[in-house]
Amino acid sequence: MSRLRVAIQKSGRLSEKSLDVLKRCGLSFARSKDKLFWYGRDFPVDVLLVRDDDIPRMLLDGVCELGIVGENIAREVMLERESESQLNCLRKLGFGHCRLSIAVPENRDIAGIEALEGTRIATSYPALTRNLMMQQGISTSIVELSGSVEIAPGLGTADAISDLVSTGTTLRANHLRELDVLFESQAALYGRVNDISDEKKVLLDRLLARLEGVMQAAESKYVMLHAPREALEKITELLPGVEHPSVMPLEGSDRIAIHAVCGEAVFWEHLEALKAAGASAILVLPVEKMLA
Ligand code: PRP
Ligand code: ZN
């Protein structure tokens, strides 16, 4: 029987959440001794634990069919290989948000990235940086570094850097100032899915349907409340992301019960507005699974 392989980051910012999303899709694994290959028990999907930077290349080389990796890394490799079409972004996963930004020394008076024309930029993302700077009509010379990019300006090996920023702590610690954002990134499921067998395609579609449900469930809340019948329309409007709630009579009362799955976040402000519109006994519950 066919199996799929999904590569995830072995240790780092994306590891835990990558594994978590697979588990929420109903996958469980028998962990091998060397811990680099986990066999999928209930669903024929195995996991490879690797360096995140290796994931796009492993997909392109056919080592695995799926991989969870930052969009920044996937784009870099696709540009490097000029093979944009072979890797498909199947689903953005809503975690691992960061941005590829140009940063300069705090004490340098630089107004915008246009002023970097002809300067040297240190980065671990040479293809992406060159490409995005060129799109803005700025040509620079790229100093490619595999790590510790943030120390390059201090060492005098570059005038600016192009690096990932998430909290900004690394930049501040190195007296660098974020000048401009080149690229917004998050973790996504990528696949090399054009040339896989029909059997694998069936498996992939099942996994993607579950993933879609997991992602939607994570964003959704189940809301239950009581309200006067005449407030139904107003209350439906106030429930975030709801068009057709379930409406039930309440035994021995002229009030009704309204149940709905809210497709968007539910905040205290929403509950206060519902209460003001006549709702009572408002309950907000997490949604564990969803299948459209
Ligand atoms: C990135 C980047 C910075 C740091 C920025 O590295 O290279 O070092 O994160 O984060 P901050 O704004 O929260 O300080 P990453 O975690 O991707 O590690 P890697 O390059 O080794 O994969
Ligand atoms: Zn990395």
Side-chain angles (χ1 to χ4, degrees), residues 132-190:
L132 294 169
M133 290 297 271
M134 262 162 48
Q135 277 178 24
Q136 308 211 37
I138 305 162
S139 74
T140 53
S141 66
I142 302 287
V143 180
E144 186 174 349
L145 297 175
S146 59
S148 303
V149 169
E150 59 277 0
I151 64 174
L155 295 176
T157 49
D159 306 291
I161 67 167
S162 163
D163 200 11
L164 291 186
V165 181
S166 125
T167 59
T169 313
T170 306
L171 291 187
R172 274 192 298 279
N174 289 279
H175 303 287
L176 296 168
R177 169 170 65 92
E178 193 172 357
L179 193 61
D180 214 332
V181 176
L182 292 181
F183 184 74
E184 302 268 3
S185 179
Q186 60 174 284
L189 178 72
Y190 282 88

Side-chain angles (χ1 to χ4, degrees), residues 112-125:
I113 53 169
E114 312 76 45
L116 295 177
E117 174 70 33
T119 61
R120 298 160 303 160
I121 300 190
T123 187
S124 309
Y125 300 92

Side-chain angles (χ1 to χ4, degrees), residues 9 51-53 73 125:
Q9 189 185 32
R51 278 186 55 222
D52 59 348
D53 308 67
I73 295 177
Y125 300 92

Side-chain angles (χ1 to χ4, degrees), residues 217 220-222 284-288:
S220 301
K221 292 284 177 277
Y222 192 79
V284 181
L285 307 170
V287 174
E288 190 186 281

Side-chain angles (χ1 to χ4, degrees), residues 221-234:
K221 292 284 177 277
Y222 192 79
V223 176
M224 308 195 279
L225 54 82
H226 294 173
R229 180 168 288 282
E230 60 278 12
L232 176 60
E233 198 181 329
K234 174 77 184 155

Side-chain angles (χ1 to χ4, degrees), residues 240-255:
V242 174
E243 274 169 43
H244 305 289
S246 311
V247 177
M248 287 146 280
L250 283 172
E251 205 52 39
S253 164
D254 52 355
R255 291 166 73 79

